[in-house]
Amino acid sequence: SLSQLFDALINVSSLSLNPTPAGVTRDGYGWVEYVENEPLNSREQLQTYYDRAGLFAWMATLLGSTDLHYENLIATTAGPVVVDAETAISTLTGQTGHPSADAELKSWVLNQTVFKTGLVPLIGSNAQPDMSGFGATQPERMKRLQLRWVDAKMDSVDIRYDRPRTSPDHNYPRFCGDPVPPWLFADELTAGFRRAQETTQEHMETVRDAATTAFAGTELRTVIRRSRSYRTLLDTLSNPKYLRDAVTHEQKLTETLWNDWSNCRLVDRDIARSEVIAAERDRLLNRDIPRFTVHSDERSLCLAGETVVENALKRTPIESLRRRIERLCNWQLQRQRDLLSLAVSNAGVPSSYDEEQS
């Protein structure tokens, strides 16, 4: 679908867009072409790379894509290639629970800009490490403890918690073996972003119709809770206290999902939460992260091909996408460019970068 939409832009402009890896789809699973991280061998290649990174950043913003962190973006001589685009035209985003008016405003603003994509560092955020698709060029120690099993299948089996380091070195753009962060080519990145904006605005109806065609009938990932919440819950259930018997294990799981409903992105929908929680529970009991989906032209929430809740969404993803394209093409394009420029300028340089370099 992304390839089709890119082709539509190429047909109405002189833009040169990034390749997308080929995929083979089967019933419930599939394969995607292996993408090799390639070193960039000249300043001209670096300029071209970041120009195309800007084009991609606008496309991702237009589609409402999320989760484009450093593991999902691979640097090649043809530009950055995304290897996990399942959150394109995502439908459930923003605040969960009962946020303040300021938090709601902040969430709405972020959802209208490139910050929603996860491609650039979030200005003013103290969250570390930087895991953004463009900004994460240095390994950093994670703040959050992660559970790790040691000596599995042995009498000495144990659980340990540690703070692993991120490893963006497999994917980032490199020159002579060293990372090339975006703030060194902020002008090129912003220029590519601007050209893509202007082309889309000039041919908005063509792009909007192409997007409708490209995503027609597509099954889309719909994230109703943060994946981290599921991961934390599964880690908690690894405590021997909840492994004594199946009843205790399932009771703790169901109780936690029920009590945490205020942080579910369906909290403001008039639906029976018991149906959703039952579906989540069944997956989590098998230690799987629930992968809810919705078809692009429907509003029902599905899991493993079965409908969990009908009319769970306010509008179909296709309807939301068309509205988003129209809104973004007429909403403060210069301001969006300024935010991108600030995020990838020296203001976005993490404090750890200078320390690492020294």
Side-chain angles (χ1 to χ4, degrees):
S1 296
L2 286 173
S3 296
Q4 289 176 269
L5 193 52
F6 285 171
D7 289 343
L9 271 184
I10 291 172
N11 290 337
V12 297
S13 71
S14 59
L15 295 178
S16 176
L17 292 164
N18 310 332
T20 54
V24 178
T25 303
R26 293 291 183 261
D27 185 16
Y29 65 97
W31 293 273
V32 67
E33 175 187 4
Y34 180 76
V35 180
E36 186 78 50
N37 174 237
E38 300 171 331
L40 304 172
N41 299 314
S42 67
R43 181 174 180 81
E44 289 70 25
Q45 281 191 342
L46 288 165
Q47 290 173 322
T48 299
Y49 176 87
Y50 275 111
D51 181 79
R52 292 183 178 177
L55 297 175
F56 174 73
W58 171 248
M59 292 297 297
T61 303
L62 201 65
L63 294 175
S65 296
T66 64
D67 206 35
L68 295 177
H69 51 77
Y70 71 87
E71 292 178 325
N72 288 337
L73 209 65
I74 300 178
T76 73
T77 53
V81 176
V82 61
V83 295
D84 184 359
E86 67 176 355
T87 61
I89 68 171
S90 56
T91 51
L92 292 172
T93 59
Q95 294 290 320
T96 56
H98 304 286
S100 65
D102 288 344
E104 286 185 335
L105 178 60
K106 179 180 179 181
S107 175
W108 186 88
V109 170
L110 292 181
N111 283 336
Q112 315 308 311
T113 68
V114 71
F115 290 111
K116 178 183 178 181
T117 67
L119 286 171
V120 298
L122 187 59
I123 298 172
S125 172
N126 292 321
Q128 287 291 335
D130 176 15
M131 298 181 67
S132 63
F134 293 158
T137 57
Q138 292 290 322
E140 296 186 58
R141 186 72 66 183
M142 302 283 284
K143 275 193 172 182
R144 179 175 173 268
L145 288 172
Q146 289 191 358
L147 178 148
R148 181 168 59 89
W149 288 93
V150 294
D151 295 342
K153 298 183 180 181
M154 299 175 63
D155 290 343
S156 56
V157 63
D158 196 3
I159 292 177
R160 294 180 184 172
Y161 289 87
D162 58 20
R163 292 184 173 88
R165 291 175 69 87
T166 60
S167 54
D169 53 302
H170 299 298
N171 294 350
Y172 61 54
R174 290 174 291 122
F175 180 73
C176 296
D178 294 324
V180 183
W183 46 88
L184 298 180
F185 290 90
D187 290 344
E188 286 80 2
L189 203 158
T190 307
F193 192 80
R194 184 189 67 249
R195 288 205 330 281
Q197 280 185 324
E198 292 171 348
T199 300
T200 307
Q201 187 177 42
E202 182 180 355
H203 304 281
M204 185 185 69
E205 292 184 5
T206 300
V207 174
R208 185 191 59 198
D209 294 343
T212 301
T213 301
F215 287 97
T218 303
E219 187 178 38
L220 305 163
R221 173 82 181 273
T222 301
V223 182
I224 68 169
R225 301 185 199 248
R226 296 181 184 278
S227 296
R228 183 180 298 174
S229 299
Y230 289 131
R231 184 74 263 163
T232 301
L233 177 54
L234 289 175
D235 286 351
T236 300
L237 292 171
S238 299
N239 188 312
K241 176 180 179 180
Y242 304 113
L243 294 175
R244 292 171 182 167
D245 58 74
V247 174
T248 302
H249 189 83
E250 184 172 340
Q251 180 179 354
K252 175 63 176 178
L253 174 57
T254 306
E255 177 185 309
T256 303
L257 291 172
W258 193 272
N259 291 340
D260 195 49
W261 184 254
S262 63
N263 289 317
C264 177
R265 292 192 172 99
L266 295 170
V267 67
D268 62 340
R269 307 294 199 272
D270 184 20
I271 61 175
R273 74 173 75 174
S274 58
E275 298 176 3
V276 178
I277 290 175
E280 291 179 295
R281 179 199 62 211
D282 291 344
R283 286 291 167 178
L284 289 166
L285 284 174
N286 290 315
R287 299 197 68 81
D288 289 334
I289 300 297
R291 187 181 183 277
F292 289 99
T293 62
V294 60
H295 282 87
S296 60
D297 50 1
E298 298 179 4
R299 296 191 294 128
S300 297
L301 187 70
C302 303
L303 182 65
E306 300 292 330
T307 298
V308 177
V309 179
E310 294 184 352
N311 300 321
L313 307 182
K314 295 179 179 179
R315 60 181 66 90
T316 70
I318 287 291
E319 291 170 344
S320 297
L321 176 60
R322 292 176 66 90
R323 288 162 59 101
R324 182 177 183 85
I325 290 173
E326 293 170 1
R327 181 174 66 248
L328 288 185
C329 285
N330 294 287
W331 187 75
Q332 300 178 325
L333 298 186
Q334 179 61 53
R335 187 170 188 178
Q336 294 182 52
R337 293 196 293 270
D338 291 343
L339 287 172
L340 173 66
S341 180
L342 180 60
V344 297
S345 69
N346 289 336
V349 178
S351 58
S352 60
Y353 183 78
D354 290 334
E355 296 169 5
E356 294 275 357
Q357 292 305 296
S358 61

